[in-house]
Amino acid sequence: MDDLIIALPCGFSVKYKEIFYQKGKFPCPVCKSHSITSQECLNMTRNKMIINEFNFDQKKKTFTRCLKKFEICKIDPKSFIDESYENLKNHLDIRREEIKLIADRKIDDYYEKLLKIIEDEKETKLNEFETRIQQIPSLEQEIMDLEIQNTTEITKKIEIIDCYCAKIENGIKFLNKAKDDLITNNWIFNPGDDSFEMESLFGEIDWKEDSKTVEINDPFVDEGFDGETFQQSIYNFSKLNREINSTSSFKAKNSEWKILVNLNEDSKGDKTLGFYLKCILTKALNDLSLNVTAELRLLHLVDHQKDYAKVFNKVFIKDNYAWGFNNFISLDEIMDQNKGFYNLEKNYITLQVKLKFDDPKSSPIPLKEKKVIGSVKWFNVKNGYGFIAINDKNEQIFVHESAIVKKNTNQKKKSLAEGEQVEFDIVFGKKGFEAANVTGPNGKSVQGSIHAMNTKGKRKKRAKSYCAKDDTESEGEELFDFEFN
């Protein structure tokens, strides 16, 4: 694209890249006798035709690549189908094992509960029997002491014998009841119903509702806006979670860009929308940087005067990372129907990015020195930054964890150990000179701080940067240590 020959209003011709990256009005790069704008040149009919022809050729090439991939699928479509469903089957297998563990645990827990009832009952019986045992000696003594006096007259004697027999009968009943209560179990087990809803326990296979995005093939420019504007609608918004969702990519300044979104929590525990811009510079720009002013907007459904926006300025270099806001706007504000951001019926919101670029030719990577050797003066793992003392120089360089390109693989968080030797480049950042491309000596991995050892299960905190601001001095937050697809 950069090498396309573009006509100028004066009749001369130049390469596309010589006018496209210019801002505002600039002198004609050939005749120098008049001023032009890049948009004025690009709007010329002949230039539109050239650009359209180029885009036409690019789309045909893209179609050819897609056709080749399709032809590969035609060779063995069943294997591609099997592969695409393998993950689903794996989820089922995992769930089956989970259900087995859940069922075993619940069965064991309930079994132990029933055993506890039995043990409690046995303990109660034993206590009752021991109480009766204590009553036996007195009962036995009382029965054995019963004697019939021969001197008693017959009528009285009959009454005494009846009374004694009744006492003996009660003693027999007492003994039999004590014995029967001891050896008799009055409990029975009633098996439960074998039928239950497996679907509610195991789960079901549902149609996957992916997050849909508005396809944008070519950039469009707002009237009166000297830059490029892209927007994407996020459907199934109510299902947004902590996982980073990446929209379809768009191209600007010969680089690929993506909008990233996720659900976060602010310091108060309230849910917020994370809104970021990801840049992937092309090989042609590997030795350049893009100085970008980005306006991230949540669009109002009806009145764009009520859009919600935050702005940051960032120099994107060849590293593949994103920049934006962890807490762009609260979820409550988005879902509030009076605010007008969320379409409840269709379950979507629309995000927009407005980009303004400085000429990359005037923004080379601000490199001061390469392959510098130094030792780490100190490094705060929690805050993610520190200083490196340059060997043989009375100079210290600021270093941020994002500059570490080869971290200790045994550590989850990027860090540096106090006193360790490192190799790095020195670049000019927003606040002065700072370290970049930090590694151990000879490009090896850094040692890292002992305070950054892996802590399984702990949530990784994102480091904050103060370079992104809007009109209300909102704090920008960069995503570090994030793997992009």
Side-chain angles (χ1 to χ4, degrees):
M1 186 76 168
D2 281 352
D3 293 327
L4 285 179
I5 302 301
I6 300 296
L8 297 172
C10 59
F12 290 103
S13 298
V14 294
K15 290 185 178 181
Y16 177 87
K17 62 183 178 182
E18 294 186 41
I19 64 166
F20 181 70
Y21 298 113
Q22 298 288 347
K23 289 181 61 177
K25 284 198 171 186
F26 58 94
C28 174
V30 180
C31 70
K32 311 291 185 181
S33 63
H34 62 99
S35 296
I36 56 174
T37 65
S38 59
Q39 197 63 47
E40 178 185 350
C41 295
L42 297 178
N43 285 338
M44 293 174 62
T45 303
R46 180 180 178 279
N47 291 338
K48 283 184 177 181
M49 181 192 69
I50 292 173
I51 294 173
N52 287 344
E53 285 178 346
F54 177 82
N55 288 334
F56 171 75
D57 291 337
Q58 291 298 110
K59 290 181 185 299
K60 285 189 68 174
K61 290 178 181 178
T62 301
F63 176 80
T64 302
R65 290 195 297 269
C66 292
L67 189 59
K68 288 180 179 179
K69 292 179 181 179
F70 181 77
E71 291 297 328
I72 295 173
C73 293
K74 282 172 59 178
I75 297 172
D76 187 7
K78 185 177 181 302
S79 65
F80 283 93
I81 293 174
D82 290 341
E83 183 179 351
S84 66
Y85 280 85
E86 185 65 25
N87 189 47
L88 179 61
K89 182 179 178 298
N90 289 340
H91 281 299
L92 293 180
D93 292 339
I94 292 171
R95 184 55 179 167
R96 180 177 64 175
E97 296 305 317
E98 289 176 344
I99 293 298
K100 287 180 180 179
L101 293 175
I102 293 171
D104 286 344
R105 185 175 68 250
K106 288 185 176 293
I107 290 171
D108 289 344
D109 290 346
Y110 190 69
Y111 172 75
E112 293 295 332
K113 179 181 177 182
L114 296 181
L115 286 183
K116 182 68 166 55
I117 294 174
I118 294 174
E119 293 300 322
D120 290 345
E121 181 63 18
K122 287 165 62 178
E123 184 69 22
T124 301
K125 278 183 173 287
L126 183 59
N127 292 336
E128 291 176 351
F129 187 74
E130 288 176 347
T131 300
R132 286 167 176 167
I133 288 175
Q134 295 173 3
Q135 297 173 348
I136 294 299
S138 60
L139 177 62
E140 181 182 5
Q141 185 64 43
E142 182 182 358
I143 298 297
M144 293 305 174
D145 289 344
L146 295 177
E147 292 184 2
I148 301 173
Q149 301 293 331
N150 292 327
T151 57
T152 307
E153 60 180 354
I154 295 175
T155 304
K156 187 67 175 176
K157 192 174 183 177
I158 292 172
E159 291 177 359
I160 291 172
I161 292 173
D162 289 342
C163 179
Y164 286 175
C165 286
K167 286 185 177 182
I168 295 171
E169 184 67 29
N170 288 336
I172 293 171
K173 288 181 179 180
F174 179 83
L175 292 173
N176 286 335
K177 188 175 188 317
K179 176 181 69 70
D180 291 342
D181 286 348
L182 182 67
I183 65 176
T184 303
N185 170 27
N186 294 324
W187 293 74
I188 62 171
F189 174 64
N190 293 316
D193 189 353
D194 290 341
S195 63
F196 62 93
E197 292 186 4
M198 179 56 71
E199 292 84 358
S200 61
L201 177 64
F202 196 99
E204 300 179 68
I205 296 179
D206 292 327
W207 184 259
K208 181 169 63 174
E209 296 183 7
D210 289 331
S211 179
K212 303 172 185 176
T213 58
V214 175
E215 293 294 332
I216 300 177
N217 297 319
D218 299 304
F220 61 90
V221 182
D222 276 357
E223 186 175 348
F225 178 70
D226 183 20
E228 291 174 336
T229 305
F230 309 87
Q231 69 184 48
Q232 308 242 252
S233 293
I234 311 300
Y235 287 84
N236 302 311
F237 177 73
S238 60
K239 295 186 177 181
L240 190 68
N241 53 35
R242 288 187 177 276
E243 182 179 351
I244 292 287
N245 288 268
S246 174
T247 66
S248 57
S249 61
F250 52 88
K251 288 191 175 182
K253 295 299 183 187
N254 285 335
S255 296
E256 184 178 343
W257 302 80
K258 286 187 177 183
I259 294 171
L260 307 178
V261 292
N262 74 334
L263 201 62
N264 292 316
E265 287 186 2
D266 61 16
S267 58
K268 298 179 182 178
D270 296 328
K271 292 183 178 180
T272 61
L273 176 69
F275 187 0
Y276 320 98
L277 180 65
K278 171 186 172 184
C279 174
I280 306 173
L281 297 181
T282 60
K283 292 182 179 179
L285 292 176
N286 266 353
D287 294 328
L288 298 174
S289 61
L290 284 178
N291 190 354
V292 180
T293 299
E295 183 177 308
L296 308 186
R297 305 178 68 87
L298 171 63
L299 299 188
H300 191 276
L301 294 172
V302 179
D303 185 1
H304 291 312
Q305 296 295 320
K306 298 180 180 179
D307 293 347
Y308 183 84
K310 287 187 177 181
V311 179
F312 69 78
N313 179 263
K314 176 66 179 171
V315 177
F316 286 90
I317 55 177
K318 63 183 177 181
D319 302 285
N320 175 14
Y321 59 85
W323 193 273
F325 301 89
N326 281 343
N327 304 312
F328 180 75
I329 186 174
S330 72
L331 186 63
D332 288 341
E333 288 184 82
I334 296 176
M335 305 301 281
D336 185 349
Q337 293 299 291
N338 293 324
K339 297 287 186 180
F341 300 127
Y342 174 59
N343 187 312
L344 179 62
E345 181 181 356
K346 295 184 179 180
N347 191 15
Y348 79 91
I349 62 171
T350 300
L351 302 177
Q352 186 183 82
V353 174
K354 290 190 172 186
L355 302 177
K356 287 186 178 181
F357 300 91
D358 284 342
D359 184 356
K361 293 194 300 183
S362 63
S363 303
I365 293 179
L367 183 65
K368 179 187 177 188
E369 283 186 71
K370 294 190 71 173
K371 303 295 183 182
V372 181
I373 303 296
S375 61
V376 179
K377 188 72 174 177
W378 60 268
F379 192 89
N380 188 310
V381 176
K382 181 178 180 181
N383 294 330
Y385 66 86
F387 282 87
I388 301 173
I390 300 177
N391 291 359
D392 303 324
K393 287 187 180 181
N394 186 22
E395 185 177 351
Q396 295 183 13
I397 294 294
F398 174 83
V399 58
H400 193 277
E401 62 180 7
S402 61
I404 302 171
V405 295
K406 285 195 175 181
K407 74 180 185 73
N408 186 333
T409 55
N410 293 322
Q411 297 178 344
K412 194 169 185 179
K413 184 177 176 63
K414 289 183 178 181
S415 69
L416 298 173
E418 184 176 331
E420 78 164 299
Q421 292 289 307
V422 291
E423 185 177 295
F424 58 97
D425 299 336
I426 300 178
V427 300
F428 190 78
K430 292 186 68 65
K431 296 183 179 180
F433 290 114
E434 60 185 56
N437 303 319
V438 180
T439 68
N442 300 317
K444 295 181 179 179
S445 299
V446 299
Q447 175 185 329
S449 171
I450 59 173
H451 302 295
M453 296 304 291
N454 276 340
T455 51
K456 188 176 181 180
K458 288 189 177 181
R459 181 170 171 257
K460 177 168 58 182
K461 294 184 179 179
R462 296 187 176 102
K464 292 185 178 181
S465 168
Y466 294 89
C467 74
K469 296 181 179 180
D470 61 4
D471 294 335
T472 58
E473 296 295 316
S474 293
E475 192 176 283
E477 297 174 325
E478 184 177 10
L479 292 182
F480 299 110
D481 302 339
F482 184 78
E483 296 179 2
F484 297 120
N485 296 321

